Amino acid sequence: MRKTLLLTIIVAGVLTSCVSKKKYVELEEQLSNTQSTLQKTAIEKEELEKQFAMIEQRVADYNAKINSLKETSEEKYELNDVAMMNRKTKENMRKTLENVDPEILSGAKSLEDSINIAVSHNLMKSISKEGENDDIQIDIDKTVVMISISDKLLFNTASYRVSPKANDLLQKLADVINSEPSLEVMVEGHTDPRSINTAVVEDNWDLSVKRATSIVRLLEDKYNVAPEKLIAAGRGSSIPLVENNSMENMAKNRRTRIVIIPDLDKFFALLDSNESMAEN
């Protein structure tokens, strides 16, 4: 009996020792595999970092090329401006700039700026009356002309019916549009954010659209502007000029914007024809 028990204990001890050694070997293999994986990962990481650095450099090189091409393009655009202006246009531009406020002219940093100032000056003379300069703003981006007209020159408060006092302004605006058949014109209505809801106007979006279409209808029906040249758009209160934090600022944001889209030839023609119209 004692011999049997002793034999059992010896066998159990041997088996336990064997299992522990086997587990140890497995752990060693796992450690070795992990170390191998870490080393492989470190190599891959280093390779990815090199590739990323190469990509970053390529992006930087492309950006440098793009900027260089942009600068060259702008230089060519300006040179083309000079080349495409005929003698009469250049002379009109020179005469116009002589009458521009020196403070405004001092902001011109390029030929493009000078052309824009001259066209703006002539357009303002063509469409505005004395005392209206603060209610009409003209901005030019490349050859896109944007004329913002204060709400009070065109409409009564909260109304989309065009006031009779706007007739003279709209006639002058139509003369500008009709001066070049290829011009495309978008009329945008803008409101302040105060809510409106009446029997005929649902909200600010509705009011801004109705105001734009009212101007478009008049330009077509009364002032003979071809309908295919006209686009009506309502912007509601979504694009304010200034923060709507005072009655004065809200009045600035209530406006109709006339966007005139000519090509370069017709843009220069605006400089010529509007100088002539301003003199009449």
Side-chain angles (χ1 to χ4, degrees):
M1 180 68 179
R2 286 181 180 178
K3 288 181 180 180
T4 303
L5 181 59
L6 182 59
L7 181 60
T8 301
I9 292 171
I10 292 171
V11 170
V14 170
L15 288 174
T16 301
S17 175
C18 289
V19 170
S20 297
K21 186 175 181 181
K22 183 179 179 182
K23 186 68 175 176
Y24 177 77
V25 170
E26 288 178 358
L27 290 173
E28 271 196 327
E29 287 178 355
Q30 289 177 11
L31 177 60
S32 177
N33 291 337
T34 301
Q35 287 174 336
S36 257
T37 302
L38 285 173
Q39 186 176 6
K40 183 180 177 182
T41 301
I43 293 170
E44 289 175 348
K45 179 176 177 289
E46 186 178 349
E47 185 62 28
L48 286 173
E49 285 177 345
K50 287 180 181 177
Q51 291 179 11
F52 185 70
M54 290 172 63
I55 292 170
E56 279 189 323
Q57 186 58 50
R58 287 174 65 187
V59 170
D61 290 343
Y62 279 130
N63 285 336
K65 287 181 182 178
I66 289 169
N67 290 333
S68 176
L69 288 171
K70 184 179 178 183
E71 289 170 3
T72 303
S73 176
E74 288 175 349
E75 289 171 2
K76 287 182 178 178
Y77 177 81
E78 188 161 308
L79 289 172
N80 285 337
D81 286 349
V82 177
M84 293 190 69
M85 281 196 295
N86 60 38
R87 184 176 298 175
K88 181 185 174 185
T89 301
K90 292 176 184 177
E91 181 63 21
N92 281 342
M93 179 178 164
R94 184 187 64 78
K95 289 180 179 178
T96 298
L97 293 177
E98 287 176 355
N99 298 317
V100 172
D101 185 337
E103 186 176 345
I104 295 175
L105 195 55
S106 67
K109 305 300 183 186
S110 65
L111 174 63
E112 183 186 338
D113 291 341
S114 298
I115 294 171
N116 289 349
I117 289 172
V119 172
S120 296
H121 181 82
N122 281 348
L123 281 173
M124 186 66 80
K125 284 174 62 180
S126 298
I127 66 175
S128 67
K129 294 187 293 188
E130 188 176 350
E132 290 182 346
N133 285 13
D134 291 340
D135 296 313
I136 299 175
Q137 179 181 335
I138 298 176
D139 298 298
I140 298 176
D141 183 8
K142 296 297 182 186
T143 60
V144 178
V145 180
M146 291 160 282
I147 306 171
S148 291
I149 304 171
S150 172
D151 176 64
K152 68 182 182 181
L153 294 183
L154 299 174
F155 304 98
N156 294 324
T157 303
S159 172
Y160 61 88
R161 298 189 185 281
V162 181
S163 169
K165 64 185 179 183
N167 289 340
D168 187 49
L169 173 58
L170 290 178
Q171 177 65 70
K172 292 176 179 178
L173 184 61
D175 289 342
V176 171
I177 297 170
N178 289 332
S179 68
E180 290 300 334
S182 68
L183 295 182
E184 186 174 83
V185 180
M186 180 162 64
V187 180
E188 291 181 348
H190 295 258
T191 70
D192 65 37
R194 292 177 299 176
S195 60
I196 180 172
N197 185 283
T198 68
V200 291
V201 177
E202 185 175 343
D203 54 22
N204 279 320
W205 282 107
D206 194 25
L207 177 61
S208 66
V209 172
K210 281 183 165 64
R211 285 184 167 180
T213 53
S214 293
I215 296 295
V216 163
R217 286 193 185 99
L218 272 178
L219 288 173
E220 178 188 358
D221 298 339
K222 189 172 182 178
Y223 302 108
N224 301 314
V225 177
E228 62 270 18
K229 297 171 65 171
L230 298 169
I231 305 167
R235 308 303 292 266
S237 60
S238 61
I239 310 178
L241 290 175
V242 292
E243 191 174 351
N244 287 291
N245 55 6
S246 68
M247 296 301 291
E248 182 182 357
N249 279 359
M250 283 191 283
K252 291 179 181 178
N253 291 328
R254 295 192 302 272
R255 67 201 189 277
T256 298
R257 190 168 77 153
I258 314 296
V259 183
I260 301 175
I261 312 170
D263 60 25
L264 194 58
D265 290 334
K266 303 309 179 185
F267 183 70
F268 288 145
L270 282 176
L271 181 62
D272 293 338
S273 60
N274 284 292
E275 177 67 22
S276 300
M277 281 190 287
E279 292 173 353
N280 294 333

